[in-house]
Amino acid sequence: MTTSPENIPTGFDTLGLAKPLLAALADVGYETPSPIQAACIPVLLAGHDLLGEAQTGTGKTAAFALPLLQKIDLKRAVPQALILTPTRELAIQVAEALQKYAHHMPGFHVLPIYGGQSMVVQLRALSRGAHVIVGTPGRVMDHLERKSLVLNNLAMLVLDEADEMLRMGFIDDVKWILEHTPATRQTALFSATMPDAIRRVAREHLRDPQEIKIRSATSTVVATSQSYCQTHTGQKLEALTRILEVEDDFDAALIFVRTKTATVELADKLEARGYSVAALNGDLTQGLREQVIERLKAGTVDIVVATDVAARGLDVARISHVINYDVPYDTEAYVHRIGRTGRAGRTGRAILFLAPREMYMLKLIERATKQKITALTMPTPGEVANRRVAQFTQQIVDIIKTEKLDFFFDVVRRIEGENDIAAREIAAALAWLATRERPLQMPGANDHAPREVAATPVAVAPAPTFERKPAKARPEESYPAAEPRRERPAKEGRSDTPVKQRTFAPGTLARYRIEIGRNQGVLPKEIVGAIANEAGIAGKDIGQINLFEDYSSVELPANLSDDLMDILRRIRVRQFALKTRVMEPGEFVDTRPPRRAAPARDGKKPDWKKPDGAKPAWKKREH
Ligand code: AMP
């Protein structure tokens, strides 16, 4: 079954939110309200007080921020709403969320105030006026006492993470603030738990509040094997791609993210890394959605990145993995998601990514699925390399079994005889050639300690003449953005430049960054060709090219004119705009492992894992 428009749940537009807010939600790519939002927004819009039991990650910020914004009178630059948070981090985060949701409310001003920030700065900011104040209790109290913050016009007060404020000893400050704000205000109190002390505050300071608690799904036993991986947001993509590489029995994956925008962004990033991937979100028409599902079934797409809504009802037997890239709002959504794998009697695999602050979800999910969720650590570059070697070995074994190789035996024999090279060396060179676009070793696979990098700045000094000097090797001082030469003997130099090494006068060249790299399958000669043809820079004036995963560095004449830079920025290679720019001093760090020397002729085997015959998880995109 595929999702049809009828079973898509109601969107934000049914909750009574004003157009500017709906426009902002469309901008950030939220597709549907989370359960806490669907329950809280109408209650707050109707003016009721509210007692909400909700953790971080449930979408509670938008649950109070959206109705709060709807009530703001932009013409009056006085505090009309106050949000109290236990920490400065949360205050800043909430202020940023408000700013984002108020994107189509011109002139809107939110001010975070917290301890540790200069009083002078805060006093100045307060005197300029703000519509909403987000602050920690101590500092808010300070300003109320100094009368630098006046809350006579306060219409709404929100206590966020009230149990945290209690735990951190702020509850008396909170009560004091409640007593010093107009009794006519509307109050919302959110707390992950409801200890007695919080209930008492609610009883004394909230007027006939509506209680909202999102119930956890009743527990279900699932046949899926479940793991989680704790990562910081910045590492998630790397962790995902490494895990996909080393997972056994990978066939196809459904990856869940929270927003429509994130489906497209993540799909693009995975595609750039060579996966065959499609995004599935509520913006697609029914026809397009069905096309994606058909492509997944047929195996022309291996990964679908979807929102919960878009993946509802999706039933494709080949989905071996469900990846919770963004944590679901509640256990019910989690159980729904992982139900998309383990179909047709197979055992499925579910992997959950959790940021440290989302770890509380683990226990809840274990309880809801009546199953232990095992910890998974991000595979090391060495583990990924082992897996790639195993897959590569399998390919070789298969070719030997299935292909007719007589002609190639002769070729190898001839190379051996004519050049006095052992077959093992020839094989190593061929392996290098065959895996050139997707090296078996990840950067850092051999780097246990950070490598020393010369801090020579990138040359940008004027040096109008660049002359060509016939030289075999480049002396260190003649090169503007040099890496430590002692690591790079000329013969095995790791330059990806296809042309002969040349020497340029100091300052002649500068290093430029271009946004295409190994993952996009680019070859140095394509870069030289494009730059030479389209920018008119002769091949002889192009220096060293180093390919990295998603970008490359190219040495070009320093101080190029603005016109030429404009052309260089717009040149496309393999459909990627180069977006060329000068690299900052120190930006160039060659992290790639040194090329392996040819194996010694001592008959020792390299320390590689045995092939396990697993199907490659990284199947390249078909063109
Ligand atoms: P919170 O529980 O307020 O800390 O929100 C957790 C995360 O969920 C934030 O990154 C929000 O941007 C995101 N989020 C909140 N509501 C939605 C929604 N309706 N759809 C998608 N993402 C959301």
Side-chain angles (χ1 to χ4, degrees):
M1 193 191 102
T2 55
T3 316
S4 67
E6 297 79 64
N7 51 31
I8 293 178
T10 46
F12 282 99
D13 51 345
T14 59
L15 299 178
L17 290 169
K19 282 216 173 72
L21 296 171
L22 293 175
L25 291 170
D27 292 346
V28 291
Y30 293 1
E31 216 164 50
T32 45
S34 71
I36 191 95
Q37 290 162 0
C40 292
I41 291 172
V43 169
L44 289 174
L45 283 178
H48 297 290
D49 280 6
L50 186 147
L51 185 60
E53 202 172 320
Q55 304 257 20
T56 3
T58 51
K60 69 176 161 55
T61 314
F64 64 75
L66 294 166
L68 179 151
L69 287 170
Q70 183 139 332
K71 289 164 189 249
I72 297 294
D73 178 358
L74 287 174
K75 290 195 276 310
R76 295 162 62 221
V78 291
Q80 298 163 50
L82 169 68
I83 302 161
L84 292 178
T85 66
T87 62
R88 66 178 261 169
E89 287 74 26
L90 187 59
I92 294 170
Q93 207 177 307
V94 169
E96 283 172 357
L98 281 161
Q99 204 73 63
K100 189 166 70 176
Y101 302 137
H103 185 71
H104 297 280
M105 294 171 56
F108 171 75
H109 196 190
V110 55
L111 182 65
I113 50 173
Y114 42 80
Q117 195 191 28
S118 144
M119 230 353 170
V120 181
V121 171
Q122 281 177 9
L123 289 171
R124 206 177 305 136
L126 280 165
S127 69
R128 279 198 293 265
H131 299 102
V132 179
I133 306 292
V134 189
T136 49
R139 194 46 79 94
V140 168
M141 216 171 119
D142 260 9
H143 282 292
L144 285 173
E145 279 174 333
R146 285 168 177 249
K147 307 234 176 316
S148 42
L149 175 62
V150 179
L151 296 178
N152 295 344
N153 292 291
L154 194 78
M156 188 166 183
L157 197 152
V158 179
L159 307 179
D160 195 9
E161 301 199 350
D163 50 354
E164 272 302 294
M165 293 201 269
L166 173 71
R167 206 179 55 78
M168 293 170 72
F170 295 148
I171 204 70
D172 288 335
D173 293 356
V174 170
K175 285 184 194 161
W176 187 93
I177 295 167
L178 281 162
E179 281 153 17
H180 288 78
T181 50
T184 47
R185 58 156 210 267
Q186 181 184 18
T187 314
L189 185 160
F190 287 89
S191 195
T193 54
M194 283 294 166
D196 281 349
I198 298 294
R199 289 218 167 263
R200 261 199 309 279
V201 171
R203 247 193 327 271
E204 285 166 26
H205 297 278
L206 270 59
R207 269 172 303 146
D208 192 18
Q210 303 246 340
E211 277 198 48
I212 291 176
K213 178 180 177 180
I214 303 301
R215 306 219 162 273
S216 293
T218 44
S219 51
T220 339
V221 186
V222 294
T224 310
S225 101
Q226 302 175 71
S227 298
Y228 75 93
C229 178
Q230 190 185 330
T231 54
H232 289 281
T233 321
Q235 276 194 317
K236 243 199 307 192
L237 180 64
E238 188 61 32
L240 170 70
T241 48
R242 291 196 198 175
I243 287 172
L244 287 178
E245 286 218 35
V246 302
E247 274 293 298
D248 287 322
D249 302 322
F250 180 94
D251 194 355
L254 183 58
I255 302 183
F256 283 97
V257 293
R258 282 204 168 174
T259 63
K260 291 188 268 195
T261 341
T263 59
V264 178
E265 280 171 8
L266 183 58
D268 283 351
K269 286 182 184 150
L270 290 172
E271 187 166 38
R273 283 169 166 73
Y275 291 96
S276 49
V277 54
L280 190 69
N281 64 47
D283 278 352
L284 299 187
T285 60
Q286 179 64 9
L288 283 175
R289 204 171 357 212
E290 261 155 24
Q291 257 181 36
V292 169
I293 294 163
E294 283 315 311
R295 287 171 62 206
L296 181 64
K297 280 185 183 158
T300 52
V301 152
D302 291 328
I303 298 177
V304 167
V305 187
T307 54
D308 291 272
V309 179
R312 197 155 297 183
L314 188 143
D315 181 5
V316 177
R318 36 180 306 256
I319 297 173
S320 56
H321 284 66
V322 165
I323 316 275
N324 291 278
Y325 192 73
D326 290 341
V327 68
Y329 299 118
D330 51 28
T331 54
E332 199 162 343
Y334 178 85
V335 172
H336 266 127
R337 286 179 176 188
I338 71 168
R340 309 292 117 219
T341 182
R343 297 269 159 141
R346 304 187 197 185
T347 41
R349 183 100 171 88
I351 296 169
L352 169 67
F353 284 96
L354 290 171
R357 58 190 271 277
E358 293 162 344
M359 284 299 288
Y360 70 88
M361 279 298 281
L362 198 61
K363 283 273 154 302
L364 297 179
I365 294 173
E366 284 186 336
R367 217 174 301 142
T369 57
K370 292 188 177 153
Q371 209 189 79
K372 185 105 189 93
I373 303 181
T374 55
L376 198 68
T377 45
M378 172 154 82
T380 61
E383 285 168 318
V384 174
N386 276 341
R387 177 52 68 107
R388 289 183 185 174
V389 169
Q391 289 162 350
F392 183 60
T393 311
Q394 188 60 46
Q395 280 179 323
I396 295 174
V397 170
D398 290 346
I399 288 172
I400 292 174
K401 271 193 213 146
T402 56
E403 302 296 328
K404 222 169 139 357
L405 298 173
D406 299 348
F407 171 75
F408 298 97
F409 285 140
D410 286 344
V411 173
V412 172
R413 224 172 281 134
R414 229 168 59 205
I415 301 176
E416 264 184 306
E418 286 171 9
N419 299 279
D420 187 24
I421 301 176
R424 204 147 49 90
E425 278 180 292
I426 299 172
L430 289 173
W432 180 85
L433 207 59
T435 59
R436 196 185 157 109
E437 283 189 25
R438 191 171 178 284
L440 295 177
Q441 280 186 306
M442 290 185 77
N446 274 354
D447 294 359
H448 296 300
R451 276 149 42 79
E452 233 182 276
V453 174
T456 320
V458 176
V460 285
T465 53
F466 38 94
E467 64 203 40
R468 209 174 159 196
K469 284 189 188 147
K472 274 198 226 121
R474 291 173 306 194
E476 168 115 33
E477 64 279 7
S478 71
Y479 220 69
E483 308 77 31
R485 285 287 166 248
R486 61 196 142 75
E487 288 189 28
R488 320 187 50 181
K491 197 163 160 238
E492 279 181 58
R494 282 166 299 138
S495 158
D496 294 295
T497 313
V499 286
K500 284 221 179 84
Q501 298 198 332
R502 294 181 298 274
T503 305
F504 295 91
T508 309
L509 297 185
R511 209 182 282 280
Y512 294 77
R513 178 182 160 120
I514 55 173
E515 300 303 320
I516 184 167
R518 276 187 201 290
N519 285 341
Q520 290 75 40
V522 74
L523 299 173
K525 65 176 182 205
E526 294 172 316
I527 297 173
V528 173
I531 293 177
N533 287 335
E534 297 187 40
I537 299 176
K540 71 177 174 60
D541 297 327
I542 300 174
Q544 186 181 329
I545 296 177
N546 288 71
L547 303 187
F548 296 87
E549 284 204 356
D550 287 315
Y551 71 96
S552 303
S553 71
V554 190
E555 287 177 328
L556 297 173
N559 295 330
L560 293 175
S561 69
D562 289 350
D563 286 351
L564 213 48
M565 280 307 294
D566 199 39
I567 296 172
L568 283 166
R569 265 191 293 275
R570 283 186 283 119
I571 292 178
R572 297 180 88 84
V573 177
R574 293 192 171 225
Q575 296 181 345
F576 290 87
L578 294 188
K579 299 182 188 160
T580 312
R581 65 165 174 81
V582 177
M583 286 182 111
E584 301 294 331
E587 187 182 348
F588 177 80
V589 178
D590 190 352
T591 55
R592 292 169 310 142
R595 266 184 204 157
R596 294 169 66 97
R601 298 180 192 209
D602 59 2
K604 260 205 220 145
K605 276 190 186 153
D607 183 24
W608 289 343
K609 250 196 190 166
K610 276 211 175 122
D612 62 2
K615 184 172 177 197
W618 48 269
K619 281 194 290 174
K620 287 293 251 180
R621 202 149 39 107
E622 287 150 42
H623 289 285

